[in-house]
């Protein structure tokens, strides 16, 4: 929809727009509770500061050997560049769907249709979005630099600064690319093709051990504390051009897409406020325009076996997943494999990255269980215990997670160049870790938010933190079992890697068995604990 043909330099209208936004900001800040904001900032600062400090302390102080440092200098720029290229590709996909700016419905209807240039009207929201993503990138980059200096030579300040600079540039490039795609009305197919091409360029650099793409040059900039190369400054130029192009093109966004995105984002924020994770997942899929396929990848034949109904129903849903969800699951599997490989080499905090990726994957694959929880009336109309039905819904997701784990094992084998050791250690842990991730997602889906009336004021923050952190911690148990295997092989070099991995897999499987048992007897256990041991836990 074209912009109205008004005078683009009407100072009166522009001044009225600035006054309107200043008034709205003043009223919004007038309702701002300073005590609540300071409490949230206090909790965030304490948790974030302690988390980063503890993570940096967990990383071993053992410096890399000379040959390891040479490998990092050779493939490190392309590896970091691949992450930057992935962020830009995500930005392009978001822009093709109407992002990255999320405007309120009133902003779309009354401001963007007013006699004012849309570039002027969207300049302030675009800058806010750019500052936000740049800040998030700076925090992530600075944290990565803080963790890196434990194992790399160089001053810690230089690592933090270089990581923060690269993170800021990556976040800015992500927003700039999204604004260009949105403002220029680039279609999803073309945006995906451009993103895949950029990612393939970085992957080619990684395979050839070169740094020719702009993203790889930014990766080279992140290694300045140990490998100073002025040519890496050339990677900043494309970022500046993309950001300037995005700010100039932002006025061309689609009003229909902007209104739809603003409505969905407002609902998503509301759901997140009430800790409704299921609604957040559904709204995120709507934002991504992710709809099931009209025709399944493979059509299953009808079966008359009653006990296989839930199993087949879950697979019918899985076989209708769109390509985007399959790609996302494969990428998350690669993240798990690469993070576990980095943790095995000594960067222990990468296990948290692996656990987080497993948890997100688990939330994606338990769609059948989530739909069962969304429609309890249909479930209660059948003479079956809901716990047994919920447990059956975990079988097919466990198989899917194991298949995604194979992608992670292949990625780790390529990076470490030790495929024999990777598969000896990884294959025994594959199925228990997949079951553990699915069980963690099931715990998050089935568990109700804590009752605010039963929480004391001083314990509210800690209880909510435990409520949200417990399921991801369960998903991290699978990757954490690598530490047991590595410790066994380090202290007893003659032991078989398969045997050590099997022993660790048994421990993970035992915990997964307890989690699955909770899914089966959840209501009975709750009644047993609430009634002083008089309820029937078999229900």
């Amino acid at each position: 929809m074209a912009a109205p043909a008004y005078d683009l330099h009407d100072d009166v209208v522009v001044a009225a727009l600035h006054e309107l936004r200043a008034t709205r900001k003043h009223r919004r800040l007038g309702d701002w509770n300073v005590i609540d904001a300071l409490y949230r900032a206090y909790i965030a600062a304490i948790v974030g500061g302690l988390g980063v400090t503890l993570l940096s302390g967990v990383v071993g102080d053992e410096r890399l050997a000379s040959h390891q440092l040479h490998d990092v200098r050779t493939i490190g720029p392309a590896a970091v560049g691949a992450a930057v290229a992935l962020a830009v590709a995500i930005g392009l996909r978001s822009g093709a769907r109407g992002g990255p700016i999320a405007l309120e419905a009133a902003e779309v209807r009354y401001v963007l249709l007013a006699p004012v240039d849309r570039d002027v009207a969207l300049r302030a929201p675009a800058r806010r979005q750019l500052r936000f993503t740049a800040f998030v990138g700076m925090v992530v980059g600075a944290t990565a630099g803080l963790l890196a200096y434990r194992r790399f030579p160089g001053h810690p300040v230089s690592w933090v600064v270089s990581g923060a600079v690269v993170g800021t540039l990556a976040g800015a490039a992500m927003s700039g690319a999204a604004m260009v795609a949105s403002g220029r009305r680039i279609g999803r197919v073309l945006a995906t093709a451009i993103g895949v091409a950029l990612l393939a360029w970085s992957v080619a650099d990684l395979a050839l051990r070169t740094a020719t793409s702009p993203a790889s040059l930014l990766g080279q900039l992140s290694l300045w504390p140990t490998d100073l190369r002025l040519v890496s400054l050339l990677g900043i130029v494309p970022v500046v051009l993309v950001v300037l192009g995005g700010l100039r093109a932002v006025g061309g966004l689609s009003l229909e897409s902007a209104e739809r995105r603003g409505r969905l984002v407002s609902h998503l924020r509301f759901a997140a406020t009430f800790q409704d994770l299921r609604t957040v997942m559904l709204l995120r899929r709507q934002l991504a325009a992710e709809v099931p396929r009209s025709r399944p990848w493979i059509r299953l034949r009808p079966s008359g076996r009653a006990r296989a109904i839930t199993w087949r129903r879950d697979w019918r849903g899985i076989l209708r997943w769109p390509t985007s969800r399959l790609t996302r699951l494969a990428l998350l599997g690669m993240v798990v494999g690469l993070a576990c490989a980095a943790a095995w080499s000594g960067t222990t905090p990468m296990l948290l990255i692996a656990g987080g990726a497993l948890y997100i994957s688990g939330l994606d694959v338990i769609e059948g269980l989530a739909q069962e929880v969304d429609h309890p009336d249909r479930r209660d109309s059948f003479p079956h215990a809901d716990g047994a039905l919920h447990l059956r819904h975990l079988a097919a997701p466990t198989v899917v997670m194991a298949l995604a784990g194979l992608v992670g094992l292949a990625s780790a084998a390529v990076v470490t160049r030790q495929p024999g050791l990777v598969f000896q250690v990884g294959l025994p842990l594959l199925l228990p870790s997949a079951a553990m991730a699915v069980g963690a997602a099931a715990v998050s889906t089935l568990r109700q938010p804590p009752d605010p009336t039963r929480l004391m004021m001083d314990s509210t923050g800690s209880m909510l933190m435990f409520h949200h952190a417990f399921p991801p911690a369960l998903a991290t148990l699978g990757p954490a079992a690598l530490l047991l295997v590595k410790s066994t092989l380090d202290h007893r070099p003659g032991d078989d890697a398969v045997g050590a991995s099997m022993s660790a897999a048994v421990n993970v499987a035992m915990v997964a068995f307890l989690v699955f048992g909770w899914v089966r007897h959840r209501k009975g256990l709750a009644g047993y604990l609430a009634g002083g041991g008089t309820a029937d836990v078999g229900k």
Side-chain angles (χ1 to χ4, degrees):
M1 184 174 182
Y6 295 105
D7 183 11
L8 302 183
H9 302 286
D10 192 343
D11 296 337
V12 177
V13 176
V14 174
L17 175 62
H18 292 328
E19 183 179 357
L20 172 65
R21 285 178 170 166
T23 304
R24 292 185 62 194
K25 181 179 179 180
H26 176 73
R27 290 182 178 178
R28 184 169 63 251
L29 293 178
D31 298 333
W32 187 43
N33 192 319
V34 179
I35 301 301
D36 289 344
L38 289 177
Y39 179 74
R40 288 195 296 266
Y42 165 78
I43 293 296
I46 292 296
V47 173
L50 287 178
V52 172
T53 303
L54 291 176
L55 286 179
S56 62
V58 168
V59 180
D61 290 333
E62 181 182 354
R63 299 292 181 177
L64 294 179
S66 58
H67 68 280
Q68 293 175 321
L69 186 59
H70 174 73
D71 290 339
V72 170
R73 289 172 177 172
T74 303
I75 67 174
V80 177
V84 175
L86 179 60
V88 175
I90 293 174
L92 288 171
R93 287 274 300 176
S94 174
R97 296 189 298 262
I101 304 174
L103 300 172
E104 299 177 1
E107 189 88 6
V108 177
R109 295 184 180 182
Y110 299 112
V111 174
L112 298 187
L113 292 177
V116 61
D117 183 13
R118 287 183 189 167
D119 288 329
V120 177
L122 293 172
R123 190 172 297 162
R127 288 175 178 173
R128 286 198 301 269
Q129 179 68 29
L130 186 63
R131 287 196 302 266
F132 173 75
T133 53
F135 175 76
V136 172
M138 181 187 68
V139 172
V140 173
T143 304
L146 181 63
L147 299 176
Y149 95 91
R150 293 280 183 171
R151 305 197 67 200
F152 292 90
H155 197 273
V157 175
S158 62
W159 279 107
V160 172
V161 170
S162 62
V165 169
V166 174
T168 302
L169 292 172
M174 181 178 177
S175 281
M179 292 178 192
V180 170
S182 176
R184 299 301 180 187
R185 309 287 183 91
I186 299 177
R188 297 176 188 174
V189 176
L190 180 58
T192 302
I194 296 174
V196 170
L198 292 175
L199 188 59
W201 194 356
S202 296
V203 172
D205 281 345
L206 184 61
L208 300 176
R209 297 183 169 231
T210 58
T212 59
S213 70
S216 298
L217 292 177
L218 285 181
Q220 179 62 54
L221 185 62
S222 67
L223 297 178
W224 262 29
T226 184
D227 190 13
L228 178 60
R229 296 186 184 182
L230 296 178
V231 70
S232 59
L233 294 175
L234 295 176
I236 302 177
V237 177
V239 176
V240 175
L241 294 178
V242 168
V243 170
L244 293 178
L247 293 176
R248 289 181 61 87
V250 69
L253 85 168
S254 169
L255 294 185
E256 293 81 3
S257 298
E259 186 175 16
R260 173 182 175 274
R261 183 178 179 84
R263 182 177 66 255
L264 291 175
V265 169
S266 64
H267 293 166
L268 192 149
R269 290 171 179 169
F270 184 79
T273 302
F274 284 88
Q275 306 169 26
D276 190 352
L277 183 60
R278 171 61 180 164
T279 304
V280 170
M281 293 289 294
L282 292 176
L283 291 173
R284 183 192 62 80
R285 290 172 185 166
Q286 292 184 32
L287 273 173
E290 188 176 291
V291 295
R293 290 170 54 90
S294 58
R295 299 180 62 182
W297 295 99
I298 301 174
R299 190 174 298 276
L300 298 179
R301 295 181 179 178
S303 175
R305 292 185 299 173
R307 297 186 62 87
I309 291 178
T310 306
W311 166 267
R312 294 178 63 83
R313 196 175 104 197
D314 287 339
W315 276 110
R316 285 194 178 99
I318 292 170
L319 292 175
R320 289 185 181 271
W321 281 0
T323 305
S324 58
R325 192 185 298 191
L326 294 175
T327 304
R328 182 171 63 248
L329 191 63
L331 290 175
L332 288 172
M334 292 178 61
V335 169
V336 174
L338 296 177
C340 289
W344 183 273
S345 65
T347 310
T348 310
M350 293 301 292
L351 292 176
L352 299 180
I353 303 296
L358 282 174
Y359 178 60
I360 296 173
S361 302
L363 291 175
D364 244 352
V365 301
I366 60 165
E367 184 66 22
L369 173 62
Q371 289 184 6
E372 205 72 65
V373 175
D374 290 344
H375 304 282
D377 295 339
R378 182 182 62 186
R379 176 197 63 203
D380 296 339
S381 63
F382 292 92
H384 295 285
D386 56 353
L389 187 60
H390 293 163
L391 184 62
R392 293 176 184 174
H393 275 297
L394 303 184
T398 301
V399 176
V400 175
M401 287 293 295
L403 295 177
L406 291 176
V407 178
L409 286 179
S411 303
V414 171
V415 172
T416 59
R417 298 182 180 180
Q418 293 179 309
L421 179 62
V422 168
F423 286 103
Q424 287 176 7
V425 175
L427 284 178
L429 288 169
L430 184 62
L431 190 59
S433 299
M436 194 73 256
V438 171
V443 169
S444 179
T445 302
L446 294 173
R447 201 172 52 163
Q448 298 295 325
D451 186 1
T453 60
R454 300 180 62 183
L455 296 176
M456 299 178 60
M457 182 63 67
D458 294 338
S459 64
T460 301
S462 58
M463 287 297 294
L464 290 177
M465 187 185 309
F466 175 78
H467 178 84
H468 293 296
F470 181 66
L474 286 177
T476 311
L477 291 179
L482 289 175
L483 298 180
L484 296 177
V485 181
K486 190 173 186 299
S487 177
T488 301
L489 297 179
D490 288 343
H491 289 84
R492 290 179 290 182
D495 283 7
D496 183 19
V498 176
S501 182
M502 288 290 293
S503 177
V506 170
N507 296 328
V508 178
M510 292 174 62
V511 180
F513 177 79
L514 293 177
V515 174
F516 278 39
W518 178 88
V519 173
R520 172 63 178 86
H521 303 287
R522 177 174 60 95
K523 288 188 176 180
L525 289 172
Y528 179 82
L529 296 176
T534 59
D536 183 8
V537 298
K539 293 183 179 179

